[in-house]
């Protein structure tokens, strides 16, 4: 890729408040406030790259939070990335590899370098990844609701809008009844799956086995967030494929899980696995082992979603993605125009180089609650008053 070094003249980090329309309710609890972290790079020729590090505000999905992500990027990840021998995202990912864990932080920085590289080379992100699909089948991930009627109503709306798959969030006490109600109302033709977000234990095998009767595509992360071994024990007792989300935070986690049959389906989120490079490696592993896979979501803004869409253009992403557009989640998006779901349930893969969408600088500036810029030469952190946030 980059044969010669392009100097980054500006690197900044923004914590941005996103206006969530309603509380997202899952097996790990409620998400009512959503701040995301953005990385912005500008090189000496004026090319820019945006990346998103979409950890949640709280440490109840995984250990990283918006705050830890912001700090690790500002204090460590950006400095290592800027010392990389080249700005090729693979080199950048390697340069950040001394950082243990903190996958969202590393992924956000790496994503900005991918977008920058794409802009410089004038090639869409999807083509840099080697992806060929021009559109991505999408599904919705439905929050746990107060009543079954509410869920039925929302499923009806999404199916009418064309969404190609429904994922119901479940937890003990909100599982078999909601799945049965959706199957009884909409029939067996609907692609349906559930996501427990680590809210069951091996003592709940009977409740989970009861779900085998509903022809689900998968049961996502039934057991503890890091319980790969337990998942293998459970998979032996279930017909429905287990899909791992939380428990796979690297290529080696994915390999370990597949080696012991802890899952037969994988949800790939670039933030969770440490970046797009790791996502591509997990993709290749799943293709080699013929494991169905799909791209999950972290309620990203259009900035993070655009990289996810490019990733989904690869052939191994053979099940619908969690890709509800901003119109479902937020009052508005950080990109404009943003994407919507086409009537047949697809979203187009961006074709323009860079992010493939135009960011709206004034929305980012207005919603930035924490900001830091790195000195381009010394990499010293220059935390500035928010009054000076400017793009
Ligand atoms: O478990 O897949 C999950 C959102 C935040 C954290 C974890 C998860 C989710 C979702 C939402 O299910 C998917 C989306 O981004 O649309
Ligand atoms: Mg999940």
């Amino acid at each position: 890729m980059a044969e010669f070094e392009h100097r980054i003249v500006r690197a900044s980090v923004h914590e941005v408040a996103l206006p969530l329309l309603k509380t997202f309710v899952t097996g790990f609890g409620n998400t009512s406030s959503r701040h995301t972290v953005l990385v912005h790079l500008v090189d000496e020729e004026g090319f820019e790259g945006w990346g998103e590090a979409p950890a949640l505000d709280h440490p109840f999905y995984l250990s990283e939070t918006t705050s830890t992500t912001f700090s690790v990027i500002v204090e460590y990840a950006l400095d290592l990335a800027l010392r990389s021998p080249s700005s090729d995202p693979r080199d950048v990912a390697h340069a950040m590899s001394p950082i243990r864990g903190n996958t969202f932080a590393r992924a956000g920085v790496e994503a900005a370098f991918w977008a920058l590289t794409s802009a410089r080379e004038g090639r869409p992100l999807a083509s840099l990844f080697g992806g060929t699909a021009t559109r991505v089948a999408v599904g919705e991930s439905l929050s746990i609701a107060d009543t079954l009627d509410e869920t039925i109503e929302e499923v009806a709306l999404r199916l009418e809008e064309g969404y190609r798959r429904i994922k119901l969030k479940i937890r003990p006490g909100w599982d078999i009844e909601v799945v049965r109600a959706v199957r009884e109302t909409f029939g067996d033709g609907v692609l349906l799956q559930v996501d427990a977000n680590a809210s069951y234990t091996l003592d709940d095998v009977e409740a989970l086995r009861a779900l085998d009767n509903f022809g689900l595509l998968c049961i996502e992360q039934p057991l503890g967030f890091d319980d790969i071994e337990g998942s293998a024990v459970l998979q032996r007792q279930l017909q429905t494929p287990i899909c791992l989300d939380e428990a796979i935070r690297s290529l080696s986690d994915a390999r370990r899980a597949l080696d012991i049959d802890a899952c037969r389906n994988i949800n790939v989120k670039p933030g969770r696995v440490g970046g797009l490079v790791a996502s591509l490696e997990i993709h290749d592993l799943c293709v080699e082992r013929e494991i169905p896979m799909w791209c999950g979501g972290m309620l990203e803004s259009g900035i993070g979603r655009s990289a996810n869409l490019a990733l989904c253009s690869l052939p191994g992403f053979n099940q619908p993605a969690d890709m509800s557009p901003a119109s479902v989640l937020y009052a508005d998006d950080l990109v404009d125009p943003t994407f919507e779901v086409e009537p047949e349930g697809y979203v187009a893969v961006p074709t323009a180089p860079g992010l493939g969408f135009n960011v709206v600088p004034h929305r980012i500036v207005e919603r930035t609650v924490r900001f830091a810029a790195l000195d381009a030469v010394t990499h010293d952190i220059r935390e500035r008053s928010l009054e000076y946030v400017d793009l």
Side-chain angles (χ1 to χ4, degrees):
M1 239 176 261
E3 300 148 23
F4 37 83
E5 191 47 36
H6 293 260
R7 263 188 41 149
I8 308 289
V9 295
R10 188 178 162 78
S12 57
V13 190
H14 297 246
E15 178 183 331
V16 177
L18 295 178
L20 205 53
L21 291 175
K22 60 174 194 169
T23 298
F24 193 65
V25 183
T26 74
F28 60 71
N30 294 1
T31 301
S32 50
S33 160
R34 201 315 166 231
H35 289 69
T36 195
V37 175
L38 304 177
V39 178
H40 185 215
L41 304 172
V42 181
D43 76 5
E44 58 192 352
E45 291 171 73
F47 289 109
E48 63 173 355
W50 283 97
E52 181 166 355
L56 298 183
D57 292 27
H58 53 70
F60 308 134
Y61 164 68
L62 284 172
S63 61
E64 276 179 280
T65 69
T66 305
S67 286
T68 68
T69 302
F70 184 92
S71 300
V72 170
I73 290 175
V74 171
E75 294 172 19
Y76 299 98
L78 257 182
D79 176 58
L80 288 173
L82 293 170
R83 289 175 201 282
S84 162
S86 89
S87 49
D88 180 321
R90 291 171 201 278
D91 288 338
V92 171
H94 182 71
M96 291 187 288
S97 65
I99 297 176
R100 307 300 184 222
N102 291 287
T103 58
F104 286 94
R106 287 187 277 124
V109 173
E110 193 201 296
F113 278 89
W114 276 108
L116 179 67
T117 301
S118 168
R120 274 177 188 164
E121 299 195 359
R123 284 175 66 195
L125 210 42
S127 117
L128 294 184
F129 294 157
T132 49
T134 56
R135 58 182 198 167
V136 174
V138 305
E140 192 189 14
S141 172
L142 269 83
S143 201
I144 291 170
D146 291 332
T147 64
L148 292 178
D149 285 351
E150 245 178 86
T151 296
I152 296 298
E153 219 174 282
E154 186 165 352
V155 172
L157 175 67
R158 297 309 166 214
L159 292 177
E160 220 173 86
E161 289 174 335
Y163 284 67
R164 303 191 75 85
R165 179 272 276 151
I166 296 296
K167 162 169 143 182
L168 300 171
K169 291 290 193 181
I170 60 167
R171 66 181 168 200
W174 181 267
D175 44 32
I176 183 114
E177 289 77 14
V178 70
V179 171
R180 183 184 290 121
V182 169
R183 272 286 180 244
E184 282 177 357
T185 313
F186 302 100
D188 292 337
V190 173
L191 294 183
L192 186 64
Q193 65 194 58
V194 295
D195 185 358
N197 283 114
S199 57
Y200 292 83
T201 72
L202 280 173
D203 292 339
D204 300 312
V205 171
E206 283 319 308
L208 294 166
R209 277 169 62 104
L211 294 171
D212 272 342
N213 300 317
F214 295 94
L216 303 176
L217 281 173
C218 63
I219 299 178
E220 193 176 333
Q221 198 66 43
L223 305 182
F225 79 97
D226 58 354
D227 194 0
I228 291 179
E229 282 71 24
S231 188
V233 173
L234 179 62
Q235 183 67 86
R236 285 200 283 278
Q237 302 172 71
L238 290 183
Q239 278 160 27
T240 310
I242 291 177
C243 168
L244 290 181
D245 173 354
E246 285 90 325
I248 294 183
R249 299 188 294 279
S250 64
L251 171 66
S252 59
D253 284 345
R255 193 177 285 124
R256 191 157 58 93
L258 295 181
D259 282 349
I260 64 169
D261 195 26
C263 66
R264 296 175 185 165
N265 187 305
I266 290 187
N267 164 335
V268 173
K269 298 179 185 175
R272 198 196 65 231
V273 302
L276 291 157
V277 173
S279 301
L280 296 171
E281 290 168 345
I282 293 173
H283 167 271
D284 293 350
L285 175 73
C286 288
V287 168
E288 184 193 311
R289 305 220 187 166
E290 295 179 22
I291 296 294
M293 67 182 306
W294 50 284
C295 182
M298 288 299 299
L299 311 173
E300 295 93 342
S301 75
I303 291 174
R305 292 287 213 220
S306 89
N308 291 358
L309 283 169
L311 188 62
C312 289
S313 68
L314 287 152
F317 285 87
N318 49 22
Q319 292 188 351
D322 277 349
M323 195 66 77
S324 305
S327 56
V328 170
L329 303 170
Y330 298 113
D332 55 34
D333 202 352
L334 303 177
V335 299
D336 190 32
T338 182
F339 64 86
E340 288 296 341
V341 178
E342 291 163 10
E344 313 80 38
Y346 291 89
V347 172
V349 174
T351 52
L355 208 55
F357 292 98
N358 296 320
V359 302
V360 188
H362 78 90
R363 281 191 200 145
I364 295 176
V365 170
E366 281 158 20
R367 302 211 179 111
T368 294
V369 298
R370 201 170 357 169
F371 171 78
L374 251 64
D375 184 286
V377 178
T378 64
H379 302 180
D380 287 342
I381 301 163
R382 287 198 179 155
E383 238 161 313
R384 301 202 222 159
S385 152
L386 288 178
E387 290 163 46
Y388 296 108
V389 174
D390 190 16
L391 288 174

